[in-house]
Amino acid sequence: MIMQKLQKSIVIWLGLLPVFSITLFPFVVMGTTSIKPQAEVFSTSWFPSSIAWSNFAEMWTATGFGRALGNSLYVSTLATAMTLFIAIPAGYALSRYRFTGRGSFKRFLLITQMLSPIVLVLGLFRILVVFDALDDAHVVALLYAGFNTAFAVWMLESYFSTIPKDLEMASWMEGASRLTTMRRVFLPMAVPAIVVTALFTFVNSWNEFVLALTLLRAEENYTLPIQILSIVSGRYAVDWHLVMAAALCASLPVAIVFSWMQKYMLKGLTAGAVK
């Protein structure tokens, strides 16, 4: 029995090996290039003759990485907070109340996810020019929240529908108001879904490129994706060891957190699929 399970596991891992290798390949390239001395960046060897940890310190000072990191943290956190502020009550209303047009509204939320920000970026740019709102981190965060709210509402509604309404009714019978019941009974049970939704929104805002590239003009307002692009664009010689060090520092922490939370992400996405 044990041998059969072992053989099955080996077969499964062999089948997953190509996907696993393709997924990790960009991180391997970033990792090995980021620790290579500049003279060895284009060498055919995967591993450097000596590890140049100084690349990270040089990258931090030479590329303005710290400032861009702070901008990305601020914009992504603000976008996540605004998204949850709208999505939690909207998801609760969709899961607990039946009203005319509820199904159409849910389909509308789903359809909005089929539109890429790049389709709307020209129109948004022209509107922001009229209102003199370009190069503003708060406007970028607001747009990020707008693009993430529909999916956040959809995901929270699916999870909220799995929470028994009897618990709320019992709280009402004890004399608690609807607001108190939501704050002390409902929301504590919904924390896993809220955390997953916040994580999804944060990662999506952290990695967004097109809107930030279009709307942010001053370098002091650049987010990480735009700051890393500025290291490459408009130069005859590119310091690829610094580019890879910046890309690794920008992507690896979020990738680790996302991988750690993937089981909760799967639970939030599939909750309510079978009722």
Side-chain angles (χ1 to χ4, degrees), residues 40-92:
E40 300 180 15
V41 169
F42 295 103
S43 66
T44 57
S45 175
W46 278 93
F47 300 100
S49 59
S50 61
I51 298 178
W53 296 113
S54 59
N55 289 345
F56 293 93
E58 183 182 354
M59 174 273 298
W60 189 276
T61 56
T63 64
F65 188 88
R67 180 185 63 247
L69 177 64
N71 291 339
S72 284
L73 283 173
Y74 178 74
V75 170
S76 300
T77 302
L78 182 59
T80 301
M82 289 190 290
T83 300
L84 292 179
F85 181 77
I86 299 171
I88 290 175
Y92 180 82

Side-chain angles (χ1 to χ4, degrees), residues 79-266:
T80 301
M82 289 190 290
T83 300
L84 292 179
F85 181 77
I86 299 171
I88 290 175
Y92 180 82
L94 285 173
S95 69
R96 288 297 188 256
Y97 300 105
R98 299 296 180 265
F99 51 89
T100 303
R102 178 177 176 273
S104 299
F105 180 70
K106 292 182 65 175
R107 285 191 291 272
F108 167 75
L109 293 178
L110 188 61
I111 291 173
T112 59
Q113 299 307 293
M114 301 178 186
L115 295 176
S116 171
I118 198 171
V119 177
L120 305 175
V121 68
L122 180 59
L124 291 173
F125 179 82
R126 296 182 65 179
I127 292 173
L128 294 179
V129 167
V130 171
F131 289 96
D132 194 24
L134 286 177
D135 205 20
D136 190 332
H138 299 91
V139 174
V140 174
L142 180 63
L143 293 176
Y144 286 175
F147 281 105
N148 284 287
T149 296
F151 184 81
V153 172
W154 185 276
M155 187 159 64
L156 288 177
E157 186 273 335
S158 297
Y159 190 93
F160 289 171
S161 297
T162 65
I163 299 176
K165 193 174 181 179
D166 294 344
L167 298 175
E168 296 174 84
M169 296 179 66
S171 178
W172 297 337
M173 293 178 64
E174 292 293 331
S177 65
R178 289 184 177 270
L179 183 60
T180 301
T181 299
M182 185 175 182
R183 187 177 69 252
R184 296 188 176 182
V185 177
F186 184 84
L187 288 181
M189 299 183 65
V191 165
I194 295 174
V195 170
V196 170
T197 304
L199 177 63
F200 173 85
T201 304
F202 184 87
V203 172
N204 204 23
S205 301
W206 181 274
N207 294 328
E208 203 284 324
F209 177 78
V210 174
L211 287 176
L213 178 64
T214 306
L215 304 180
L216 297 178
R217 300 294 179 174
E219 187 173 357
E220 59 267 20
N221 294 326
Y222 282 179
T223 55
L224 276 177
I226 312 305
Q227 188 66 47
I228 294 174
L229 173 69
S230 68
I231 307 174
V232 181
S233 60
R235 300 189 180 188
Y236 292 103
V238 178
D239 297 326
W240 286 109
H241 59 302
L242 301 184
V243 174
M244 292 295 105
L248 184 65
C249 291
S251 60
L252 194 57
V254 178
I256 292 173
V257 174
F258 193 89
S259 299
W260 177 50
M261 296 290 291
Q262 64 178 340
K263 60 180 180 180
Y264 302 105
M265 176 68 78
L266 181 61

